[in-house]
């Protein structure tokens, strides 16, 4: 499968995904996604998994992106499982565009408990944070129930 990288001028995550950001150490990298440790972690183990194709946010997803979302979820789960004890609760998902500092599809992958302050913890509550499994289900449902 050939993936054509579509970058967006000035997007910091496009720079990371294309390997042009030398200050970010990738902990995972393939043709479709890459991942790095979040520089301002909200838990002891906090990774960001990026799409290498510039997709502004989860509202821009289509049927063609379902495999990408599933890959992001798999990569995030594997990264967390490498650094946590079995049975440690995890949270993987997406913040809404209005609360995300970068308009590029990226998934937060965290091992609980959260270590951030109470205001930041609010970002990971169910009414704000879109769980990756739920998002995949929503995209599938919206694509197949047209």
């Amino acid at each position: 499968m050939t993936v054509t990288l579509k970058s967006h001028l000035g997007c910091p995550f496009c720079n990371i995904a294309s390997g042009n950001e030398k200050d970010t150490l990738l902990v995972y990298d393939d043709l479709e996604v890459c991942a790095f440790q979040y520089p301002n972690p909200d838990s002891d183990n906090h990774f960001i998994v990026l799409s290498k194709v510039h997709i502004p946010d989860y509202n821009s997803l289509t049927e063609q992106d379902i495999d990408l979302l599933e890959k992001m979820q798999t990569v995030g789960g594997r990264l967390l499982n490498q650094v946590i004890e079995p049975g440690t609760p995890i949270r993987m998902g997406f913040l809404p565009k209005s609360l995300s500092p970068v308009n590029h599809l990226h998934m937060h992958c965290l091992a609980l408990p959260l270590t951030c302050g109470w205001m930041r913890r609010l970002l990971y509550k169910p009414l704000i944070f879109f769980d990756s499994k739920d998002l995949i289900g929503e995209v599938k449902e919206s694509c197949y129930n047209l």
Side-chain angles (χ1 to χ4, degrees), residues 37-53:
Q37 288 188 327
Y38 192 51
N40 301 308
D42 292 326
S43 77
D44 288 340
N45 297 291
H46 187 168
F47 298 98
I48 299 291
V49 179
L50 299 178
S51 161
K52 285 204 170 180
V53 174

Side-chain angles (χ1 to χ4, degrees), residues 10-31:
C11 174
F13 282 174
C14 284
N15 287 335
I16 291 170
S18 65
N20 293 332
E21 177 58 55
K22 301 303 178 199
D23 292 336
T24 302
L25 175 65
L26 297 180
V27 295
Y28 181 87
D29 190 20
D30 69 20
L31 292 174

Side-chain angles (χ1 to χ4, degrees), residues 45-99:
N45 297 291
H46 187 168
F47 298 98
I48 299 291
V49 179
L50 299 178
S51 161
K52 285 204 170 180
V53 174
H54 185 84
I55 300 171
D57 59 29
Y58 58 71
N59 291 317
S60 304
L61 294 168
T62 67
E63 180 179 1
Q64 289 78 28
D65 301 313
I66 293 170
D67 289 341
L68 173 66
L69 286 173
E70 290 173 338
K71 172 98 178 240
M72 292 173 78
Q73 182 177 352
T74 299
V75 168
R78 284 185 184 155
L79 288 170
L80 286 171
N81 286 332
Q82 290 174 3
V83 296
I84 62 174
E85 295 293 323
T88 301
I90 63 172
R91 189 159 295 149
M92 296 193 302
F94 303 84
L95 291 172
K97 185 176 182 176
S98 61
L99 296 174

